[in-house]
């Protein structure tokens, strides 16, 4: 025989034990019950406010270039009193931010960057991390300078690399008649 703690909601027994997790907001009545004597203590009221769980959601492009601004938009939910802790990763400007945003961010170095958001909403927390590939491009054309007579053909070749080692696509302007070619033969007419 012993004592058990009883929790009531709306006059109905909602649970027993010294630890109790309410399933809805409201006022609960708590009593101590002597199981040997079948006596119950004077009730004490405990009011619970159930706080909503924040959701750390945001949109982020899959890839960008060094120095290009990206807009990071909050898509989750939280109360007006929530605290937002953003970390935009190595080489980012700004490196950190607060508030839901949107935030405009640029990266000064190439690589795979992790963007994270931690929301603390009255002690309830949620975190989300997403990655973005930040690339730098280096390109050159060979020959860099050439003199040709009208009607004479020459081959132009692009040498290019991505800081991420990704496959590159090529487009010539004016159109040289070759989609996605690193080298083209051109014949000036003027």
């Amino acid at each position: 025989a012993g004592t058990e703690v009883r929790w009531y909601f709306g006059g109905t027994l909602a649970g027993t034990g010294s630890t109790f997790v309410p399933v809805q907001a409201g006022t609960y009545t708590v009593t101590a019950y002597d199981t040997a004597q079948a006596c119950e203590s004077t009730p004490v009221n405990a009011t619970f406010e159930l706080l909503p769980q924040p959701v750390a959601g945001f949109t982020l492009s899959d890839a960008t270039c060094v120095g290009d601004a990206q807009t990071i938009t909050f898509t989750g939910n939280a109360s007006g009193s929530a605290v937002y802790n953003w970390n935009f990763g190595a080489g980012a400007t700004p490196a950190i931010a607060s508030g839901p945003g949107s935030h405009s961010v640029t990266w000064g170095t190439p690589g795979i960057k992790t963007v994270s958001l931690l929301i603390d909403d009255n002690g309830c927390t949620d975190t989300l991390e997403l990655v973005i590939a930040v690339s730098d491009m280096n390109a050159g054309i060979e020959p860099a300078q050439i003199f040709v007579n009208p009607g004479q053909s020459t081959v132009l070749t692009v040498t290019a690399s991505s800081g991420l080692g990704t496959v590159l696509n090529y487009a010539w302007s004016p159109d040289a008649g070759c989609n996605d070619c690193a080298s083209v033969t051109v014949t000036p007419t003027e």
Side-chain angles (χ1 to χ4, degrees), residues 91-153:
T93 303
I96 59 173
S98 59
S102 295
H103 298 284
S104 181
V105 181
T106 59
W107 288 268
T109 57
I112 304 299
K113 309 297 182 172
T114 300
V115 176
S116 65
L117 169 61
L118 167 66
I119 298 177
D120 185 329
D121 197 350
N122 296 305
C124 299
T125 62
D126 193 30
T127 302
L128 177 64
E129 290 185 345
L130 296 177
V131 296
I132 185 170
V134 179
S135 181
D136 62 345
M137 300 289 296
N138 294 305
I141 192 164
E142 291 291 331
Q145 183 177 10
I146 188 170
F147 299 98
V148 295
N149 294 319
Q152 181 183 1
S153 296

Side-chain angles (χ1 to χ4, degrees), residues 3 6 10 24 40 43 55 63 79-80 102 106 121-122 126 131 151-152 157 163 170 172 180 185-186:
T3 303
R6 293 184 171 181
Q24 67 186 80
E40 197 159 11
V55 176
S79 75
S102 295
T106 59
D121 197 350
N122 296 305
D126 193 30
V131 296
Q152 181 183 1
T157 302
Y170 303 93
W172 292 88
D180 203 22
T185 301
V186 294

Side-chain angles (χ1 to χ4, degrees), residues 12 14 32 40 54 57 59 62 70 100 102 108 122 160 164-165 190:
T12 303
E40 197 159 11
T59 58
D62 291 335
Q70 289 294 306
S102 295
N122 296 305
L164 296 174
E190 299 179 12

